[in-house]
Structure formats: structure tokens, C-alpha cells
Amino acid sequence: MDISRRSLLGASALTLGPVALALTGCSTGKSGSASGGGSDKDFVLWTWPEGFSEDTLKAVKEQFPDINFRQNVIGGDFKQKLTTTFSAGSGLPDITGVKGEDIAFFLSKTDYFEDLNELGAKDIKGDYLDWKWQQATSKDGKQLGIPIDIGPTALFYRIDVFEEAGLPSEPAELEAAIREWDAYFELGKELISKKPGTYLIRNSSGIFSTAYRQSGKGFIDENQMFIGDQDHIRKAWDLAVKANAAGINAALDSQTADSAAAVNEGRLPADFGASWHLADMKVDAPETAGKWRVCKHPGEAVNQGGSFLTIPKGAKDPKKSFELISFILNAKNQAVEYTFSGNFPAAPEAHSMPEVDGAVEFLGGQKAAEVFSAAAETVRPLYEDPNSESVIAPFTAELEQMESTGKDPEKAWNDAVTAAKRIAEQAGIKVK
């Protein structure tokens, strides 16, 4: 299986204000034009790099020989491009992707989209994981999108480094040894005592982000109330502080040269991530192929990423667009996309298909899909508000301050809560 690197989040999820447009575009598939122009047989899909594979586009052409289907790949800030085009009311595609981190925002703009339930979505709902389906369901029951993929998390680790340090190294053995976070931290202490300069945690924010999601609650609840100062967030914060105090934190930013070097050199022999994270490791550390394994991380899996296909309101032929979406996102094509980009299928039927269930050479021949499929079953639905990422940002920033300057964790917590409440109030969120 050859998975290419994937840009999951595009612009940083921690951005607090509007991002200037820096858009480039290209097309793949048959030529045509967007809604509002061209032939009635022209159907256009908007997506981001890397988009859908040529194999899937070829399958669409064969399944729908009566239309001209084109995939337009949009660079830059995809959400901003969509929002600007919706506001303009023209130039919209027949189908558009919506990133998982943006679906909460667009659920507050349901008038932008066709309700897919009116086009037959209810008939295929059972083909997808329920918690992922619900992520694109509005409060009044409208279905905005069909899931492209999911991102259940697990622990990637270097089996050779663990063996050299005398730590549990086989996936089942390691998984059993780290069911609790404290056990994982103790393992990290043992590792660094035997191999100085070798860390089990990339940064405090990674622990914090995983831990608070495991609670099933975020920073804003369904009643538009700020809950970022409650116990579930404080417990996640304390875990991140504890990991840092244990000396097992590499304090490295993700997607940097230093971070890639640490992975390549074995100084960061473990990392939490979704299935698509395998593509990052293959780029960062190609010479370590075969030395990695994957297993369940402490606590239950959470979800990172996973996007949707939607139909803009006013598309020239919503029924045909829905037919296209239903085909593009069937189990077989989701399995094909997994081999292309590492997008783990949102359709459980695909999990046992050869394209997904096969041995992964980079992971020493392990069948990684078994781990991620099991993880997907334990993900807890998490309510996401359009303002969630903005109020999370101060917590991440303060954790980084704690790492880099030794800032007192209690003061950092208080400063994060104060800043987050201010941002929440400015956004119209209720604060106690």
C-alpha cells in the first residue's frame, strides 16, 4: 500500500481571524464548467489538494458516461473560498467538499446547502458510521453532507527502539501495558532513563487535545455555553502538565524540520495520530520503513479529521449530484481512496476490503486497518461549535509557553481561561 502525504487541515485550525485568500486552482477529470455556465451535462466537484484519485475519477466516468465530470482542486483557504462564493451567489459547483473542521461553521449556514435527506440520504445512512454521519446533521434534522472519511486515532511507535529499551514492543503487549495515561507516562520515564534524549510525547498540546476529546465534551456546549473552564478540560490540562513535568515531552511543533528529524532519528519513537498520519511518517522518515507498528493508545480513540461531500443550494440538478456523491463515496471507492491518501473509510463495509485490510509494509506487514476499525467503534460524538477552535487557541498557546519558558502551569491555566472567555463573549457565546 502506497499512501501519499495528506494535507489534512489546510490553514491552521488555531487561526483566530479571517485568512487572506491565496487561491490557486486546477482541474482533473473531464472538462466542463461550474454551475451557472456550460452544458447541462457538465458537473463540477470542488475539493482541496489532494482531492480524489484518478482511479475514482475514472470509475465515475465509466458509471456516468452521459455527463462530463470534472474535479476542481482549490488551493489556499478552502473554507474562505466557499464562503465567498456562497455570499456572491454565483459560480458555485455542483458538488463541494467540506472539511471536517469546517462542518460546524457550515451547520450554522444550512441555507447554503441542499438537505440531502430530501434526495435520498436516509436510504444510505446505514452505510456509514453513525457518529460521523451525525457530525453533518443540523439541529433541525437536515443532512448537509455524506462522509468521505474518518480519523480515529491510535499510537504509532518504533518497535526496534522499544525492544532495545526492554519495553513492551509487540502491539498487543504494548496496548495492554498502556491502558491508562499514567502507565504511558511511566513507560516514557523508563525509556528516557535507558535511552536519554528519547521522548514518547511530541508536545503537551497533543496530550491535551486527545484527552479532552476522550471526555466526549469540548469547549462550547449545545446551548451555546462556554464550558472550557469545567472539570473535563481541567483534567486534560493536568494530564498535559503532568507529562511535561515527567520529562518525557520533546516539546516539538508538528510539521517542522526539527520534528521530522526527531522522528527520522528515533528521538521521537512514538506519536498519536489518525490513519492518515502514516503518510506524514513515510515522508518524514522513509528510511525507517518496517520499523513502525500501531496499537491502541491510552484511553479510547478520538477522531481527527474526516470530511464530507455536499450539494450547494441552487445546484442545477441536485438529484444527479446526489447520485454522483452516492457513487463516489460508496464502500468500494472509499477503499480505493485509502490506498491513495490514507483516508480511512467512513463506510465500515470497506474496512474488510483488500485495499484497506491488507498488510502495510511501512508497519512491518501489520494489518493496521484492524486497529483503526476497532478504534472507530469507540469514538465518542463531540459537539463542535463554529467558535470552538477560537476558544481552544489560548489553551494551546499557554501550553506552549509552559514548555518554552517554564511558565507556572497554574498561571498558564488561569490566563488561558481568561483569554478564552473573552473570545467566547466576543463571539456571542454565553459565559458564566
Side-chain angles (χ1 to χ4, degrees):
M1 181 175 63
D2 185 17
I3 300 177
S4 57
R5 188 179 182 95
R6 180 185 180 208
S7 299
L8 171 72
L9 296 180
S12 171
L14 301 179
T15 301
L16 296 178
V19 180
L21 289 177
L23 298 166
T24 59
C26 64
S27 302
T28 54
K30 296 193 72 173
S31 61
S33 61
S35 296
S39 166
D40 288 343
K41 293 185 177 181
D42 295 333
F43 282 79
V44 176
L45 161 68
W46 275 9
T47 187
W48 46 85
E50 298 158 330
F52 289 92
S53 69
E54 289 297 332
D55 287 344
T56 296
L57 298 179
K58 181 180 178 182
V60 172
K61 177 182 176 180
E62 293 173 349
Q63 182 71 16
F64 299 92
D66 57 322
I67 66 170
N68 300 320
F69 181 76
R70 186 177 81 229
Q71 173 176 257
N72 275 11
V73 175
I74 308 296
D77 189 333
F78 191 84
K79 174 187 171 184
Q80 186 63 46
K81 170 65 174 177
L82 266 185
T83 304
T84 300
T85 309
F86 275 125
S87 297
S90 62
L92 287 163
D94 300 279
I95 301 169
T96 183
V98 170
K99 294 184 179 183
E101 67 270 22
D102 296 333
I103 193 66
F105 169 80
F106 284 115
L107 281 170
S108 68
K109 310 284 185 182
T110 56
D111 289 345
Y112 284 174
F113 302 94
E114 296 285 345
D115 178 6
L116 302 186
N117 282 329
E118 297 181 359
L119 299 170
K122 291 180 179 179
D123 296 333
I124 62 173
K125 177 181 178 181
D127 296 342
Y128 303 89
L129 286 160
D130 185 65
W131 59 264
K132 188 62 181 177
W133 184 274
Q134 293 300 324
Q135 193 180 356
T137 306
S138 67
K139 289 182 179 180
D140 58 357
K142 293 178 181 177
Q143 191 64 29
L144 266 62
I146 308 299
I148 297 174
D149 64 313
I150 56 175
T153 55
L155 176 71
F156 293 91
Y157 70 96
R158 284 274 298 268
I159 190 171
D160 58 327
V161 175
F162 277 56
E163 286 176 342
E164 291 169 7
L167 303 180
S169 55
E170 291 299 325
E173 180 187 19
L174 178 58
E175 179 178 308
I178 58 169
R179 295 312 323 122
E180 304 296 331
W181 283 107
D182 283 346
Y184 188 72
F185 296 165
E186 289 301 316
L187 199 74
K189 292 179 184 178
E190 185 177 351
L191 174 63
I192 205 166
S193 71
K194 294 179 178 179
K195 296 178 73 67
T198 306
Y199 303 92
L200 281 192
I201 293 171
R202 185 187 295 266
N203 53 51
S204 300
S205 296
I207 295 291
F208 178 69
S209 178
T210 301
Y212 89 73
R213 286 182 169 88
Q214 288 177 327
S215 74
K217 295 189 291 184
F219 288 75
I220 301 171
D221 68 14
E222 292 89 339
N223 298 315
Q224 301 291 286
M225 178 68 71
F226 174 76
I227 56 173
D229 56 350
Q230 294 186 4
D231 286 348
H232 66 291
I233 300 297
R234 183 60 198 245
K235 288 178 180 178
W237 176 275
D238 289 344
L239 267 179
V241 170
K242 189 172 187 178
N244 190 63
I248 62 173
N249 176 21
L252 291 168
D253 290 335
S254 300
Q255 305 296 334
T256 63
D258 288 344
S259 186
V263 173
N264 194 55
E265 296 165 8
R267 292 184 284 112
L268 186 63
D271 206 7
F272 306 105
S275 62
W276 49 261
H277 187 52
L278 177 60
D280 293 332
M281 295 192 302
K282 291 178 72 173
V283 171
D284 289 344
E287 295 180 2
T288 64
K291 298 178 180 179
W292 292 88
R293 300 292 186 275
V294 65
C295 73
K296 189 175 182 179
H297 61 55
E300 299 298 347
V302 300
N303 187 69
Q304 292 180 348
S307 303
F308 302 87
L309 288 184
T310 68
I311 301 174
K313 195 75 171 180
K316 64 174 175 285
D317 190 345
K319 290 184 178 180
K320 177 61 73 172
S321 291
F322 183 74
E323 287 182 38
L324 285 161
I325 289 178
S326 300
F327 177 75
I328 293 169
L329 298 182
N330 67 28
K332 177 62 177 177
N333 285 328
Q334 287 202 2
V336 169
E337 289 303 309
Y338 178 66
T339 66
F340 169 65
S341 61
N343 291 351
F344 199 73
E349 182 186 349
H351 297 180
S352 59
M353 293 181 175
E355 297 92 338
V356 180
D357 192 42
V360 183
E361 291 184 12
F362 196 85
L363 299 176
Q366 185 181 0
K367 289 190 173 183
E370 295 177 355
V371 177
F372 289 108
S373 183
E377 297 297 331
T378 67
V379 170
R380 298 179 67 180
L382 181 71
Y383 173 75
E384 296 178 82
D385 185 90
N387 299 291
S388 292
E389 294 300 342
S390 294
V391 299
I392 291 169
F395 292 87
T396 302
E398 290 295 334
L399 285 171
E400 291 173 353
Q401 281 287 307
M402 180 191 71
E403 289 177 341
S404 61
T405 69
K407 184 172 181 176
D408 175 66
E410 193 63 27
K411 178 169 175 47
W413 165 260
N414 290 330
D415 289 348
V417 169
T418 298
K421 284 184 174 181
R422 183 174 63 251
I423 292 168
E425 286 181 322
Q426 291 171 347
I429 302 301
K430 292 175 284 189
V431 175
K432 288 184 179 180

